[in-house]
Amino acid sequence: MTKFARYQAHDGPRLAEVVDGELIDLAAHGDDGTPTVARDLADVIGVEWRPTGGRRALEGAHLLAPHARPPRNVLCVGKNYREHVAEFTSSGFDHTALDGDGHEFPFVVFTKPWTSIVGPGAPIEFDPLLTTAIDYEVELAVVIGRGGRNVPVDRALEHVFGYTVINDVTARDLQQRHRQWFIGKSLDSFCPMGPFVVTADALEISDLRLETRVNGELRQSATTADLIYDVPTIISRLSMGMALLPGDVIATGTPAGVGIGFDPPKYMTDGDLVSMTIDGIGELINTVRFLPEPSASVQI
Ligand code: MG
C-alpha cells in the first residue's frame, strides 16, 4: 500500500487506500467509531490490512485530512530553506533573527495544535478584526511510524511511515506581536493537510518539488534539495532526549515565496484559492474566507 486517504462516507470518516482513481476502504481498528486515525496509520507498520470490499471513485469524494489526530501537536521546523530565511529576516517580522545564538541557521522548532488541522477543500477561516496578515507556507510533512528516542541520522528514515503536504498558515501580525510563534500559527483551520499520506517506501524525498499557487499565481517553487536540515537530520535532532511517537507529524519548513517576502506583502484574504503541490503526493487546495461571525463567542 502506498497512498492513503480519509474521506467522509454517509456513516462517518473512513480510511482508504487510493488505487487507480478509486478509494478502497480498509478494515481499521477505528471502525467501532473510535477516532483512532492516528493509531490506524501508525499500525500499518505492523498490521495486516485488508480491504473491506467498499470502494468508490476518488473523483467527487469528500476528502478529509488524512491524519487529523496525531498524538500531540504537529512539530514544525522554522527557517529551514536558505532563501526563505533571507526573505523572512528582511521582512522585519522575525524576532528570532536577533537571538544571538551564534548559529548561522538555528534549528527553530515550534508546534501547531492538531485542532488547527483541516482537510483538502476545507476553508481557511479568519477574523479580520483579529488578523489582517494571513500567509501560506507549503511544507513536506513527515508522519512517524515507529517511535524512538535518540534516533541516529543513518537510521532515521526507518522511523517514517509516510509523507503528506501541510500548509503552515500563519497570521504574521500575531506571530510578530507575540514573539513566540505559537499563537500566530495555531488558529483554528490554520493547518490544512493532505490530500494523501504516501508511504515512505513509495517516495524518494531528496529532491521533491514543492509549489504554491494563490489564485493561479505561482508563489513558491523549490525542492527539498534546498533544505538546510534534511529529514533524517530533523528526525534525529528532534528525538534527542524526547521520544518521537507513532503518528507524530513533523512539518519540515517552507521555501521562499511566502506572502511576507513580497514588497508590499501579498497576504491572503477572503475568496482566495490556495493550491499546494508536492511531487508524488498530490495537490492540496483550500479556500480562504472571513469567519461568518467574526469574534463571536462560540461554545465548543
Ligand atoms: Mg512553516
Side-chain angles (χ1 to χ4, degrees):
M1 295 171 194
T2 60
K3 190 177 282 189
F4 290 88
R6 284 173 72 233
Y7 74 99
Q8 185 68 44
H10 66 278
D11 56 351
R14 289 191 191 161
L15 186 66
E17 184 185 4
V18 183
V19 181
D20 296 333
E22 281 196 315
L23 293 166
I24 300 174
D25 292 351
L26 296 172
H29 299 296
D31 283 352
D32 61 357
T34 309
T36 55
V37 174
R39 199 172 67 231
D40 293 343
L41 281 171
D43 278 355
V44 173
I45 299 299
V47 171
E48 189 72 23
W49 281 78
R50 285 174 298 188
T52 64
R55 59 174 61 202
R56 59 149 296 157
L58 172 60
E59 188 175 341
H62 177 189
L63 294 181
L64 305 169
H67 183 40
R69 290 287 293 269
R72 56 183 164 185
N73 285 16
V74 176
L75 305 167
C76 305
V77 180
K79 300 166 67 169
N80 200 22
Y81 288 80
R82 283 178 176 78
E83 289 183 25
H84 173 63
V85 174
E87 70 175 355
F88 188 41
T89 300
S90 63
S91 73
F93 276 68
D94 181 14
H95 283 298
T96 65
L98 302 175
D99 57 11
D101 64 2
H103 297 285
E104 183 185 10
F105 297 113
F107 188 63
V108 176
V109 180
F110 61 95
T111 72
K112 295 167 84 84
W114 58 253
T115 46
S116 63
I117 295 174
V118 294
I124 299 163
E125 297 180 310
F126 73 103
D127 176 353
L129 299 178
L130 178 66
T131 171
T132 55
I134 305 297
D135 211 344
Y136 49 84
E137 296 187 352
V138 62
E139 308 203 7
L140 175 69
V142 178
V143 179
I144 294 295
R146 288 212 333 259
R149 182 166 53 229
N150 302 331
V151 176
V153 171
D154 63 355
R155 307 292 301 269
L157 293 183
E158 298 172 18
H159 292 260
V160 177
F161 170 69
Y163 303 92
T164 189
V165 183
I166 274 182
N167 184 352
D168 177 17
V169 180
T170 306
R172 295 293 180 200
D173 41 7
L174 298 182
Q175 181 186 29
Q176 181 186 44
R177 184 185 314 157
H178 294 276
R179 296 189 174 241
Q180 216 275 354
W181 294 3
F182 180 75
I183 288 179
K185 299 276 193 178
S186 297
L187 305 184
D188 294 345
S189 78
F190 271 33
C191 190
M193 174 196 285
F196 312 119
V197 170
V198 176
T199 51
D201 59 308
L203 200 61
E204 165 55 52
I205 58 163
S206 60
D207 193 18
L208 286 176
R209 181 154 295 275
L210 308 83
E211 290 189 338
T212 298
R213 287 175 171 78
V214 178
N215 302 326
E217 178 188 330
L218 183 65
R219 299 282 183 86
Q220 295 184 282
S221 183
T223 87
T224 52
D226 301 327
L227 282 166
I228 297 169
Y229 299 100
D230 64 11
V231 169
T233 304
I234 291 169
I235 289 171
S236 180
R237 293 188 66 162
L238 274 179
S239 73
M240 289 171 67
M242 180 189 80
L244 292 175
L245 306 174
D248 265 340
V249 176
I250 305 169
T252 57
T254 200
V258 298
I260 195 67
F262 293 87
D263 185 17
K266 294 184 176 183
Y267 297 127
M268 299 190 295
T269 192
D270 186 61
D272 283 350
L273 187 83
V274 56
S275 157
M276 300 184 155
T277 56
I278 297 182
D279 288 348
I281 300 177
E283 183 179 21
L284 173 64
I285 301 174
N286 296 89
T287 52
V288 181
R289 73 179 188 194
F290 295 143
L291 275 167
E293 295 181 80
S295 301
S297 179
V298 177
Q299 295 270 6
I300 301 293

PDB file of all heavy atoms in Angstrom, residues 77 110 137 139 168 185 253-254, ligand 1:
ATOM      1  N   VAL A  77       9.394  22.692  11.955  1.00  0.00           N
ATOM      2  CA  VAL A  77      10.719  23.298  11.846  1.00  0.00           C
ATOM      3  C   VAL A  77      10.571  24.630  11.117  1.00  0.00           C
ATOM      4  O   VAL A  77       9.891  24.712  10.090  1.00  0.00           O
ATOM      5  CB  VAL A  77      11.685  22.372  11.090  1.00  0.00           C
ATOM      6  CG1 VAL A  77      13.071  23.018  10.972  1.00  0.00           C
ATOM      7  CG2 VAL A  77      11.787  21.022  11.798  1.00  0.00           C
ATOM      8  N   PHE A 110       8.815  24.857  16.549  1.00  0.00           N
ATOM      9  CA  PHE A 110       7.613  25.318  17.248  1.00  0.00           C
ATOM     10  C   PHE A 110       6.529  24.274  16.991  1.00  0.00           C
ATOM     11  O   PHE A 110       6.804  23.247  16.363  1.00  0.00           O
ATOM     12  CB  PHE A 110       7.188  26.707  16.743  1.00  0.00           C
ATOM     13  CG  PHE A 110       6.841  26.735  15.276  1.00  0.00           C
ATOM     14  CD1 PHE A 110       5.527  26.594  14.861  1.00  0.00           C
ATOM     15  CD2 PHE A 110       7.833  26.875  14.307  1.00  0.00           C
ATOM     16  CE1 PHE A 110       5.201  26.604  13.509  1.00  0.00           C
ATOM     17  CE2 PHE A 110       7.510  26.893  12.958  1.00  0.00           C
ATOM     18  CZ  PHE A 110       6.201  26.752  12.567  1.00  0.00           C
ATOM     19  N   GLU A 137       2.336  28.702   3.713  1.00  0.00           N
ATOM     20  CA  GLU A 137       3.666  28.073   3.712  1.00  0.00           C
ATOM     21  C   GLU A 137       3.500  26.610   3.302  1.00  0.00           C
ATOM     22  O   GLU A 137       2.980  25.811   4.084  1.00  0.00           O
ATOM     23  CB  GLU A 137       4.328  28.146   5.098  1.00  0.00           C
ATOM     24  CG  GLU A 137       4.625  29.553   5.589  1.00  0.00           C
ATOM     25  CD  GLU A 137       5.444  29.551   6.887  1.00  0.00           C
ATOM     26  OE1 GLU A 137       5.646  28.461   7.476  1.00  0.00           O
ATOM     27  OE2 GLU A 137       5.866  30.640   7.294  1.00  0.00           O
ATOM     28  N   GLU A 139       4.692  22.889   2.919  1.00  0.00           N
ATOM     29  CA  GLU A 139       5.726  22.126   3.630  1.00  0.00           C
ATOM     30  C   GLU A 139       5.542  20.621   3.417  1.00  0.00           C
ATOM     31  O   GLU A 139       4.415  20.115   3.428  1.00  0.00           O
ATOM     32  CB  GLU A 139       5.673  22.427   5.137  1.00  0.00           C
ATOM     33  CG  GLU A 139       5.709  23.925   5.409  1.00  0.00           C
ATOM     34  CD  GLU A 139       6.213  24.305   6.786  1.00  0.00           C
ATOM     35  OE1 GLU A 139       6.683  23.413   7.522  1.00  0.00           O
ATOM     36  OE2 GLU A 139       6.142  25.503   7.092  1.00  0.00           O
ATOM     37  N   ASP A 168       1.338  25.495   6.396  1.00  0.00           N
ATOM     38  CA  ASP A 168       1.580  26.087   7.715  1.00  0.00           C
ATOM     39  C   ASP A 168       1.089  27.531   7.701  1.00  0.00           C
ATOM     40  O   ASP A 168       1.864  28.489   7.660  1.00  0.00           O
ATOM     41  CB  ASP A 168       3.080  25.996   8.038  1.00  0.00           C
ATOM     42  CG  ASP A 168       3.431  26.663   9.364  1.00  0.00           C
ATOM     43  OD1 ASP A 168       2.511  26.899  10.165  1.00  0.00           O
ATOM     44  OD2 ASP A 168       4.629  26.947   9.576  1.00  0.00           O
ATOM     45  N   LYS A 185       0.422  30.740  14.597  1.00  0.00           N
ATOM     46  CA  LYS A 185       0.433  29.530  13.766  1.00  0.00           C
ATOM     47  C   LYS A 185      -0.712  28.571  14.098  1.00  0.00           C
ATOM     48  O   LYS A 185      -0.855  27.553  13.436  1.00  0.00           O
ATOM     49  CB  LYS A 185       1.751  28.770  13.995  1.00  0.00           C
ATOM     50  CG  LYS A 185       3.024  29.537  13.631  1.00  0.00           C
ATOM     51  CD  LYS A 185       3.311  29.410  12.155  1.00  0.00           C
ATOM     52  CE  LYS A 185       4.724  29.872  11.813  1.00  0.00           C
ATOM     53  NZ  LYS A 185       5.021  29.691  10.377  1.00  0.00           N
ATOM     54  N   GLY A 253       9.386  22.765   7.210  1.00  0.00           N
ATOM     55  CA  GLY A 253       9.769  24.123   6.846  1.00  0.00           C
ATOM     56  C   GLY A 253       9.333  24.477   5.436  1.00  0.00           C
ATOM     57  O   GLY A 253       9.009  23.598   4.634  1.00  0.00           O
ATOM     58  N   THR A 254       9.314  25.779   5.162  1.00  0.00           N
ATOM     59  CA  THR A 254       8.803  26.249   3.872  1.00  0.00           C
ATOM     60  C   THR A 254       9.877  26.995   3.087  1.00  0.00           C
ATOM     61  O   THR A 254      10.741  27.643   3.679  1.00  0.00           O
ATOM     62  CB  THR A 254       7.572  27.153   4.085  1.00  0.00           C
ATOM     63  OG1 THR A 254       6.823  27.225   2.860  1.00  0.00           O
ATOM     64  CG2 THR A 254       7.975  28.583   4.488  1.00  0.00           C
TER      65      THR A 254
HETATM   66 MG    MG B   1       6.429  26.875   8.457  1.00  0.00          MG
END
